[in-house]
Amino acid sequence: MKKPVYMDYAATTPVDPAVANEMMKYLTLDGVFGNPASRTHAYGWQAEAAVETARKQVAELIHADPREIVWTSGATESDNLALKGAVAGRQGVHVVTSRIEHKAVVDTCKWLEGQGVEVTWLNPAADGTIACDQVMDALRDNTVLVSLMLVNNELGSITDVASIGSELRKRGILFHVDAAQAAGKMPVDVTSMPVDLLALSGHKVYGPKGVGALYVRRSPDVRIEACIHGGGHERGMRSGTLPTHQIVGMGQAFALARAELEQEMAKLEALREAFLEGLSSLDGVSLNGSVTRRVPGIVNLSFEGVEAESLMLGLRDLAVSSGSACASATVEPSYVLCGIGLSDEQAHRALRFSFGRFTTEEEVAFASSQIVDVVSRLRAVR
Ligand SMILES: *Cc1c(COP(=O)(O)O)cnc(C)c1O
């Protein structure tokens, strides 16, 4: 069977072959398989050196100090560690977040609510961004933490975390940013972006699944409690034997992302323009999320009069995402699309197309012509 064209890079990316090759060297007896925490022999030292090289590579992409990088199992764990770790042991505190965060933040904040933490859920503007004023208006005397994503995974819209961060810094309030969809897709620089905690994932950037990192600022010094206790790895913030091959993979992937960033952004811009151009013969197509503040690889579109579910059935040759979560018999519309003010009906008509490193012009042309055909056909039988 011919595989559908992959247009779901925002869900995950394939591991870059250069990354996979590097990872292979850290698994078997003839490779560097040692425990990076083994201090008494060369197996451990070599593994530790590889982990530290990767730490530097990840730090470099975001202009951080390697000592500010804590390895985790992915951005979900990084978000959990940031939020729970910042609030742990503090009574009567208040946290601010938004309604369109990734579930890793939404569900962690809901859990914190259950633990007695007050949470304010901000409503984004129609373009999917949160304004600085909105955040400031939500602050209270007992606010200890704000958590907002840099790039929204369903919309691709970019929130101005630099402005929000500098206001929060003046007030001494911690700022956590989920940057899983931003790393490798736009410049991310913690020297000009006053964030305290920043979550990263390996598999959104052509690295392996199951590895991520949390940036924890050293100056001013940010303290968080561990969620996973054990051998005291990662300066006590996250115990557990480090998965050398996964970490090496994430490091390589981030080094590649840094080297390719400008070229890749330009390529994805061009692909997006070609894709939209290919759809220009269709009426009733609207772009969800910000038109101007966005990363180039994510395009979320609503098609008037066409259910996304039927459209996806027609688009068997494309692997795309509807953002709807199928809960047993009922299909719930995306909470992100509802969060930016779309009606249930409009949200049910949206599909997310996301492109990446291995997407070709031919694939994009094929995708838009398929969409034109299927949408026209579905509209004709209405
Ligand atoms: C994918 C993603 C996550 C979760 O990352 P994992 O590494 O899969 O746990 C969190 N936040 C955002 C914005 C994401 O896109």
Side-chain angles (χ1 to χ4, degrees):
M1 197 191 88
K2 197 167 148 279
K3 282 203 247 175
V5 173
Y6 191 68
M7 301 223 139
D8 207 7
Y9 278 79
T12 193
T13 60
V15 174
D16 192 286
V19 170
N21 282 334
E22 198 56 29
M23 290 174 68
M24 305 270 267
K25 302 175 190 162
Y26 294 86
L27 290 162
T28 52
L29 179 61
D30 58 349
V32 181
F33 70 89
N35 186 330
S38 294
R39 290 281 149 81
T40 50
H41 49 68
Y43 295 90
W45 304 332
Q46 283 177 352
E48 189 194 19
V51 165
E52 294 315 312
T53 300
R55 200 188 297 278
K56 192 158 171 280
Q57 290 168 319
V58 168
E60 275 171 355
L61 183 70
I62 60 166
H63 303 267
D65 183 304
R67 291 171 296 179
E68 296 176 311
I69 301 298
V70 175
W71 299 116
T72 65
S73 63
T76 299
E77 188 190 325
S78 301
D79 287 336
N80 272 264
L81 175 56
L83 296 166
K84 294 175 184 168
V87 168
R90 305 171 77 169
Q91 302 296 317
V93 294
H94 174 238
V95 169
V96 177
T97 187
S98 92
R99 293 197 187 280
I100 61 164
E101 297 305 302
H102 190 272
K103 283 282 184 190
V105 167
V106 171
D107 286 0
T108 304
C109 286
K110 282 187 185 161
W111 182 83
L112 288 173
E113 276 184 325
Q115 302 293 307
V117 174
E118 290 176 80
V119 178
T120 296
W121 301 89
L122 298 175
N123 287 309
D127 71 356
T129 62
I130 298 283
C132 188
D133 290 352
Q134 250 184 301
V135 179
M136 297 311 128
D137 290 347
L139 300 179
R140 303 180 190 165
D141 291 342
N142 60 341
T143 308
V144 294
L145 175 74
V146 174
S147 176
L148 295 171
M149 67 209 310
L150 180 46
V151 172
N152 184 276
N153 50 301
E154 283 194 39
L155 303 167
S157 45
I158 301 171
T159 280
D160 182 6
V161 300
S163 312
I164 297 169
S166 47
E167 290 301 318
L168 294 174
R169 171 70 55 81
K170 289 182 207 158
R171 293 163 173 79
I173 295 168
L174 286 178
F175 190 22
H176 168 58
V177 168
D178 181 335
Q181 290 290 346
K185 299 194 174 96
M186 60 176 278
V188 178
D189 183 347
V190 296
T191 60
S192 60
M193 214 168 64
V195 306
D196 299 296
L197 300 153
L198 183 122
L200 299 165
S201 175
H203 75 97
K204 305 287 172 68
V205 195
Y206 311 95
K209 296 168 187 56
V211 64
L214 181 66
Y215 159 83
V216 182
R217 189 177 288 280
R218 279 172 68 89
S219 173
D221 192 21
V222 173
R223 297 273 157 146
I224 52 167
E225 293 285 329
C227 291
I228 296 181
H229 301 91
H233 308 72
E234 299 298 279
R235 282 154 290 127
M237 282 182 267
R238 203 282 194 176
S239 289
T241 300
L242 295 176
T244 316
H245 62 299
Q246 301 286 83
I247 287 170
V248 163
M250 182 161 168
Q252 279 289 316
F254 274 54
L256 268 180
R258 181 161 171 255
E260 308 273 323
L261 184 62
E262 275 182 34
Q263 253 172 283
E264 212 147 77
M265 283 181 70
K267 174 195 144 158
L268 292 176
E269 274 314 316
L271 287 178
R272 182 197 52 202
E273 289 315 305
F275 177 64
L276 293 175
E277 182 59 34
L279 297 177
S280 58
S281 63
L282 276 183
D283 296 326
V285 181
S286 50
L287 181 73
N288 297 314
S290 174
V291 177
T292 49
R293 294 187 55 85
R294 59 186 309 112
V295 292
I298 301 178
V299 185
N300 193 309
L301 299 173
S302 285
F303 299 89
E304 211 179 285
V306 177
E307 292 290 316
E309 296 302 311
S310 332
L311 182 52
M312 271 211 290
L313 281 177
L315 295 174
R316 280 178 207 285
D317 294 328
L318 304 182
V320 300
S321 161
S322 71
S324 308
C326 299
S328 62
T330 60
V331 183
E332 297 265 332
S334 148
Y335 69 95
V336 171
L337 296 177
C338 297
I340 60 168
L342 266 62
S343 64
D344 277 14
E345 202 174 45
Q346 288 169 317
H348 274 306
R349 292 174 179 164
L351 281 186
R352 178 186 71 185
F353 303 88
S354 48
F355 315 131
R357 186 171 293 166
F358 307 106
T359 307
T360 64
E361 283 173 37
E362 292 72 30
E363 286 177 336
V364 162
F366 174 73
S368 45
S369 76
Q370 290 274 301
I371 295 164
V372 170
D373 287 354
V374 177
V375 169
S376 309
R377 189 152 45 79
L378 289 171
R379 283 181 180 164
V381 298
R382 257 193 304 170

